[in-house]
Amino acid sequence: DDKGIEVKLTLGRLEEGSVIQWPNGVCLCCRSGDSLGLAAYKAKVPIKYSCSSGSCGTCEQQIILTSGETRYVRPCMARVPRGEASIKVIRSDRYEPMM
């Protein structure tokens, strides 16, 4: 008798987590609160680091949240935000001169 057994299928996405789409095409499932720097490493995305404390801005990347809101984050210190189903990382360098 199989009554009382509940099965949840998440289709490769962590429940209570986010799918992060990286500029190199890799999509990675992460839990809220996971380090974005570690997620970038796992996705094999080369990000420049200098201070590793968030103060210099060398690692800064632009992200687009599920809602369409755009933010700049520093992966050396940033965490995966709670309540976002998907996050798209756009390779960026805010401090590079625009041409």
Side-chain angles (χ1 to χ4, degrees):
D1 188 7
D2 291 336
K3 292 181 182 177
I5 296 175
E6 184 177 325
V7 176
K8 288 187 178 184
L9 299 176
T10 60
L11 301 176
R13 186 172 150 256
L14 293 171
E15 204 171 328
E16 301 296 324
S18 303
V19 175
I20 302 176
Q21 182 182 350
W22 295 95
N24 65 355
V26 172
C27 289
L28 190 67
C29 295
C30 295
R31 295 185 193 278
S32 298
D34 283 353
S35 163
L36 278 177
L38 182 57
Y41 174 78
K42 288 179 180 178
K44 298 188 183 338
V45 175
I47 294 178
K48 294 180 201 172
Y49 291 97
S50 183
C51 70
S52 296
S53 66
S55 60
C56 74
T58 302
C59 65
E60 195 160 82
Q61 302 291 306
Q62 183 180 14
I63 63 170
I64 300 174
L65 303 175
T66 308
S67 64
E69 178 186 353
T70 299
R71 293 184 189 170
Y72 285 91
V73 297
R74 296 180 180 180
C76 69
M77 296 299 292
R79 301 285 174 185
V80 175
R82 184 176 306 272
E84 294 296 331
S86 66
I87 300 167
K88 184 174 184 176
V89 180
I90 300 176
R91 180 160 307 284
S92 60
D93 184 352
R94 282 175 89 172
Y95 304 107
E96 203 171 89
M98 305 214 7
M99 296 188 182

